[in-house]
Amino acid sequence: MTSRLPTRGTEAPSGDRHTAWTPRLVRRVAVLMLVNVMVDTVIGAPLLVLPEMLDHFGTDQAAWLNASAMLAGAMWAPLLGKSADLHGTRRVLVTALLLCGAGALLCLIAPNIWVFIAGRLLQGAAVGAMFLSVALIRQICAPRIAMTAVGVVTSGSAILGAVSPFLFEALAEEFGFRSVFVVSAMVAAVTAVCVRGLLPESPVRTGGRLDVVGAVLLGGGLAAVLSYVSLGSEYGWFSAGPLALLVGGAAVLARWVVVSRRTPEPVIDIGNLSRPLVLTLLVVLLSTGAYQSMLQLLSLIADIAPADGLGYGLADQGTLGLLFALPSIGIMAGGTLAGWLASRIGPASTLAGGVAIGMLATFGMYLSISHFPAAVVFAGLLGFTAGAIVTSAFNMATSTAPPESQGVVTGLVQVMLAIGSVLMNMVGAAVLTSTTVVVDGAEENSAAGVHGYIGIAAGSFVVATVVSAVLARRRA
């Protein structure tokens, strides 16, 4: 049962949706862009100081230090999404930001790796902050304006990706790796104040209670399965620890399915998911993992020179900074353009177009692994694909759901983004590990492994292209 709650304080009445770009809407979009900047400080910035963190804690568990926040995001997403529909998107967004800030402070003072990982798990709430910003935009804007605004919010902060690495590297060199978490805590606090003071509360709420048991089962099961994928390539896919995570996670997810069918108001009503939403989630899973794995491959081959005789390599051919700056620019351009086009031709068509461009760019990687100019072009296209797909997926998912379910459906998209990213990156890494060659006594990735890596991503994009074309045709 759905209820429309009366407004309080700065809450916007349901009839007071933005129908045009005004200075007030620009300010609100800027605040939500700041939310995604904060997400970047949680997910991306620690990668720049990963070696220092490993040395400080005396461990080689890079996967846990790096991926723990993203894995925790998959656990947080269902709980935050349903909570937003019940209690208000702005309120839950502020809570997620405060949790993220607390996690950053815990990482800052962590005396050992386990306390540090606990802080990273709290920081995972930042992943939820990203999709909650999308849900809030959809609730306070008319659909035509909302689609463009979603594009700006989800991709506009990407331009900082070309600048922030230099800032964080300078801070880490001067003050140590902990400075990254000082910045993250400060940005989280400032963003929470801005969200609370400058944004309205969502005007539509659902009635009922939060299915805490279902949320814990779903989030815990997803986190365990993704942890298996994250650790399996390092410790062995059939070793005791990772295999226990897989079996335990699968059992928890199976239990969640049983419990959700018996619960009157489950955190996700799996029996009531529409076909367009299911197809959208499948496209997100396949395409997100594919383009993320390609961006990872570029970083792996950037330090290899053609003169090394491995059959690939980009070093000594040009300014490698272009390979990492252009995807950020592409994300901003692709997301903004996809949002603008979605308001005119529909998000299903823009999603299909973004996936098709990604497929072409991935096949172009066969040429890019040894030719720097081609690598620059296709890196930019992959960034463009990333922006277009994320924006279109959020727009498509929210267009299939009523206003009172925006938190849940955007949370589902976020879960698919996390699963796709972790899954395809780890599968690609496993392919490279199984096909290494020995050169001058050192193991190196082989050309066969690199080509197989690209082939898996290309195949994933081909399937995603077919599914997105079917979706676009049905929606038309």
Side-chain angles (χ1 to χ4, degrees):
M1 181 176 178
T2 302
S3 61
R4 295 181 178 267
L5 301 185
T7 60
R8 297 189 303 273
T10 60
E11 295 178 357
S14 59
D16 191 27
R17 285 180 149 191
H18 291 283
T19 58
W21 285 94
T22 62
R24 184 173 62 165
L25 177 58
V26 171
R27 288 194 298 270
R28 290 174 174 177
V29 168
V31 170
L32 293 175
M33 286 177 61
L34 184 60
V35 171
N36 288 333
V37 169
M38 187 276 301
V39 176
D40 291 340
T41 69
V42 171
I43 303 300
L47 294 176
L48 302 173
V49 294
L50 186 57
E52 291 86 347
M53 291 192 296
L54 293 174
D55 291 339
H56 176 81
F57 291 111
T59 181
D60 59 356
Q61 301 300 313
W64 277 107
L65 295 183
N66 175 27
S68 52
M70 180 63 77
L71 296 178
M75 179 179 67
W76 280 108
L79 181 62
L80 293 175
K82 185 64 176 179
S83 297
D85 290 337
L86 288 172
H87 304 297
T89 306
R90 185 189 65 181
R91 179 180 299 175
V92 177
L93 177 55
V94 171
T95 301
L97 292 169
L98 294 177
L99 285 171
C100 173
L105 293 177
L106 191 57
C107 290
L108 178 64
I109 64 174
N112 55 60
I113 186 173
W114 300 112
V115 176
F116 181 86
I117 290 176
R120 292 292 283 163
L121 295 179
L122 280 177
Q123 280 195 297
V127 177
M130 177 179 174
F131 73 80
L132 290 173
S133 65
V134 172
L136 188 56
I137 280 289
R138 294 290 303 199
Q139 290 166 338
I140 66 174
C141 294
R144 186 179 182 88
I145 294 297
M147 290 185 181
T148 304
V150 166
V152 175
V153 166
T154 57
S155 60
S157 63
I159 193 63
L160 294 177
V163 179
S164 58
F166 301 102
L167 171 63
F168 284 114
E169 285 178 356
L171 288 173
E173 184 176 348
E174 182 69 23
F175 303 105
F177 77 89
R178 296 184 189 277
S179 60
V180 169
F181 299 99
V182 173
V183 173
S184 183
M186 293 174 60
V187 174
V190 171
T191 306
V193 172
C194 291
V195 169
R196 181 62 182 85
L198 299 177
L199 296 180
E201 183 56 277
S202 55
V204 181
R205 315 269 184 88
T206 61
R209 298 186 304 171
L210 179 62
D211 177 20
V212 177
V213 174
V216 172
L217 289 175
L218 176 58
L222 287 173
V225 172
L226 290 177
S227 296
Y228 165 77
V229 176
S230 177
L231 299 175
S233 60
E234 183 174 353
Y235 294 101
W237 299 106
F238 298 101
S239 59
L243 199 59
L245 285 172
L246 176 63
V247 174
V252 171
L253 288 175
R255 178 60 181 169
W256 167 71
V257 172
V258 174
V259 170
S260 66
R261 292 186 179 279
R262 298 174 179 173
T263 303
E265 298 180 17
V267 64
I268 296 175
D269 190 356
I270 55 178
N272 210 21
L273 297 179
S274 66
R275 179 175 295 181
L277 179 58
V278 172
L279 293 178
T280 299
L281 296 176
L282 178 59
V283 171
V284 171
L285 176 68
L286 294 170
S287 59
T288 299
Y291 74 66
Q292 287 282 9
S293 67
M294 287 297 94
L295 293 176
Q296 176 178 267
L297 180 64
L298 281 173
S299 66
L300 293 175
I301 66 178
D303 293 331
I304 304 297
D308 294 336
L310 293 172
Y312 65 90
L314 298 173
D316 303 327
Q317 294 190 54
T319 305
L320 293 178
L322 286 173
L323 290 177
F324 305 103
L326 280 181
S328 296
I329 297 173
I331 289 172
M332 183 183 67
T336 304
L337 180 60
W340 179 78
L341 283 176
S343 65
R344 287 155 176 79
I345 64 175
S349 297
T350 58
L351 179 61
V355 172
I357 293 173
M359 181 181 64
L360 294 176
T362 301
F363 278 109
M365 286 293 293
Y366 282 112
L367 179 63
S368 302
I369 60 174
S370 56
H371 295 83
F372 184 79
V376 170
V377 171
F378 290 114
L381 284 178
L382 284 170
F384 185 92
T385 294
I389 289 176
V390 171
T391 296
S392 299
F394 277 123
N395 277 330
M396 183 63 208
T398 52
S399 69
T400 66
E404 63 271 13
S405 300
Q406 300 295 312
V408 168
V409 296
T410 53
L412 285 173
V413 173
Q414 189 65 55
V415 169
M416 292 299 106
L417 289 172
I419 293 175
S421 299
V422 174
L423 183 63
M424 290 297 292
N425 279 342
M426 294 304 170
V427 169
V431 170
L432 294 178
T433 301
S434 63
T435 56
T436 57
V437 295
V438 178
V439 179
D440 296 331
E443 286 191 350
E444 301 285 354
N445 296 322
S446 67
V450 171
H451 283 96
Y453 188 116
I454 298 173
I456 292 174
S460 182
F461 257 126
V462 168
V463 177
T465 300
V466 173
V467 176
S468 63
V470 171
L471 177 63
R473 184 174 180 180
R474 287 181 178 274
R475 296 295 288 181

